[in-house]
Amino acid sequence: RYLDVAPKIEWTCADIDSFSIERQFDMAVCFFYLNRGFLSRIEQYLNPGGQFVMETFTSVHRERFGKPRTEQFVLQPGELKDLLPSFSIRQYDEGWHGDRHTARFWGTLQV
């Protein structure tokens, strides 16, 4: 089944501070990196009905481990949902995942 899907995937790795697009995507993912400016623009990178998946650290993780090193790189409780108001939430979880306290988000861009 993987072989049926894999040829249709186009991976793009980019610096999101300078990323510009010429077209929109069906899905975007972001793991363990928090850039609130990017999140405020994510909908312009997606087709209507596009999916966005994200997981990153929360302030609970930082309080316990001292990492990430600055407050700007962690989410406050419930913040991720508020940062993505244009998305219909398919799944959201905030808690301990192994030894990491993270927020996990999967949403669909509302048409």
Side-chain angles (χ1 to χ4, degrees):
R1 190 146 175 101
Y2 171 75
L3 295 176
D4 293 338
V5 176
K8 298 174 187 170
I9 296 173
E10 177 186 329
W11 295 98
T12 301
C13 181
D15 178 343
I16 58 176
D17 288 326
S18 60
F19 183 59
S20 64
I21 61 166
E22 296 173 16
R23 64 184 186 82
Q24 293 175 305
F25 299 92
D26 293 324
M27 175 176 263
V29 297
C30 184
F31 295 107
F32 299 104
Y33 180 73
L34 179 59
N35 180 312
R36 288 171 178 85
F38 169 72
L39 292 179
S40 71
R41 299 186 311 269
I42 187 63
E43 62 193 54
Q44 73 188 32
Y45 302 132
L46 294 171
N47 288 315
Q51 308 286 306
F52 182 56
V53 175
M54 181 173 186
E55 180 176 11
T56 198
F57 295 111
T58 68
S59 58
V60 174
H61 182 89
R62 185 167 185 268
E63 287 168 11
R64 177 171 283 177
F65 297 108
K67 295 179 183 181
R69 62 177 161 32
T70 66
E71 194 68 29
Q72 78 183 48
F73 297 131
V74 297
L75 292 164
Q76 298 303 311
E79 181 184 9
L80 186 53
K81 292 186 286 187
D82 293 339
L83 291 172
L84 299 165
S86 298
F87 287 83
S88 175
I89 298 172
R90 298 187 70 164
Q91 186 172 356
Y92 183 82
D93 177 66
E94 205 171 293
W96 288 102
H97 304 105
D99 63 348
R100 298 173 174 174
H101 196 279
T102 63
R104 293 177 172 178
F105 178 93
W106 173 25
T108 302
L109 184 59
Q110 295 175 17
V111 181

